[in-house]
Amino acid sequence: MMLSSELADGIPVRQFFEGGAFADGLETYSRTHGVDRRAAASFWSLYYFSALSIPYVVARRAELALPIGIDEMTIALGDDGLPRAFGLPRVGDWCEIGAPTDIAMPLVTGHLGEVIARLKQHAGIAPKLGWNNAAVYIDYALNSTSTDPAAGPDPWPARELFEEACLPDGSPNPFKGCLRHEMEGEQIHCRRKVCCLRYMLPGIPSCGELCALPAQRKH
């Protein structure tokens, strides 16, 4: 992420989705790689959610709340049609770190909900797939930045986000059940609930043990 003033080719995120830029970027990626449009849209969203969520969570862990509202940001695409960079209107504000659900709630209410609705509208991506794609990167960022000492046989700093029924404001938690931990022998594996469809993309490797489809985990 960078300041919008430094992202010369960025356009407002809402304009990106409501105009033709999103459809054009998705078409560019689909045409270039000759893949199913729904699978392409899911893979496209992985780039979008990682570029949005990881810097935001890392900043929150450092007590800095970045302005990630959909009406505040700009976005730029690469030549391949995939998200390249986000622009922010200003640097963030100090905030308390909070629990995983506290950290995730601004993403849900201020940005992700609308984007996932656009993915369904323009590309036929089911919301449960969109939320699962976003969940993977939030989980990664929360676990990677946790300073809590490991405890118990299955320490999972982000666990609360995937087990709580509601967010702090009382609204349903869209991440509930998106990821789970399973024990196989003496090893714990994190698993998605919904497959991201990457197995339909030529030349794209499987996400391994994370995959929701047992048949795809060893590819």
Side-chain angles (χ1 to χ4, degrees):
M1 290 186 180
M2 62 183 69
L3 291 176
S4 295
S5 59
E6 299 172 348
L7 189 61
D9 57 343
I11 64 173
V13 172
R14 183 173 295 281
Q15 177 185 330
F16 171 78
F17 282 105
E18 294 184 352
F22 170 59
D24 290 345
L26 192 57
E27 180 61 29
T28 296
Y29 181 77
S30 300
R31 184 175 61 252
T32 300
H33 296 274
V35 297
D36 178 87
R37 185 177 177 84
R38 194 165 59 99
S42 177
F43 194 70
W44 186 95
S45 77
L46 295 175
Y47 278 76
Y48 188 101
F49 295 143
S50 64
L52 174 74
S53 302
I54 294 175
Y56 172 78
V57 172
V58 170
R60 277 296 302 262
R61 290 290 206 191
E63 300 182 333
L64 183 68
L66 299 180
I68 44 77
I70 196 170
D71 289 313
E72 298 182 279
M73 301 176 67
T74 58
I75 185 174
L77 302 185
D79 292 338
D80 55 5
L82 293 172
R84 178 175 61 81
F86 282 109
L88 302 178
R90 62 187 186 282
V91 296
D93 303 311
W94 178 87
C95 69
E96 295 183 353
I97 296 177
T101 51
D102 295 312
I103 293 173
M105 194 171 75
L107 281 170
V108 173
T109 59
H111 201 122
L112 293 177
E114 290 204 49
V115 172
I116 288 170
R118 299 294 180 184
L119 288 168
K120 181 179 187 299
Q121 176 185 358
H122 293 292
I125 295 296
K128 62 183 180 180
L129 171 53
W131 288 113
N132 218 150
N133 283 355
V136 170
Y137 297 105
I138 297 174
D139 177 63
Y140 167 78
L142 286 171
N143 295 333
S144 298
T145 56
S146 175
T147 57
D148 294 333
D154 181 17
W156 185 12
R159 182 188 301 276
E160 173 191 301
L161 183 61
F162 304 106
E163 295 185 351
E164 292 292 328
C166 297
L167 294 174
D169 65 354
S171 62
N173 177 11
F175 294 118
K176 186 177 187 303
C178 281
L179 297 176
R180 66 187 185 279
H181 279 198
E182 293 183 346
M183 177 72 74
E184 289 187 357
E186 297 182 353
Q187 195 165 11
I188 298 169
H189 295 290
C190 183
R191 298 267 161 77
R192 293 175 58 112
K193 183 177 182 179
V194 181
C195 177
C196 69
L197 308 179
R198 69 169 60 207
Y199 70 91
M200 301 173 68
L201 306 179
I204 302 298
S206 162
C207 57
E209 292 293 345
L210 182 64
C211 188
L213 304 178
Q216 294 295 323
R217 290 173 190 160
K218 304 303 180 183
H219 288 201

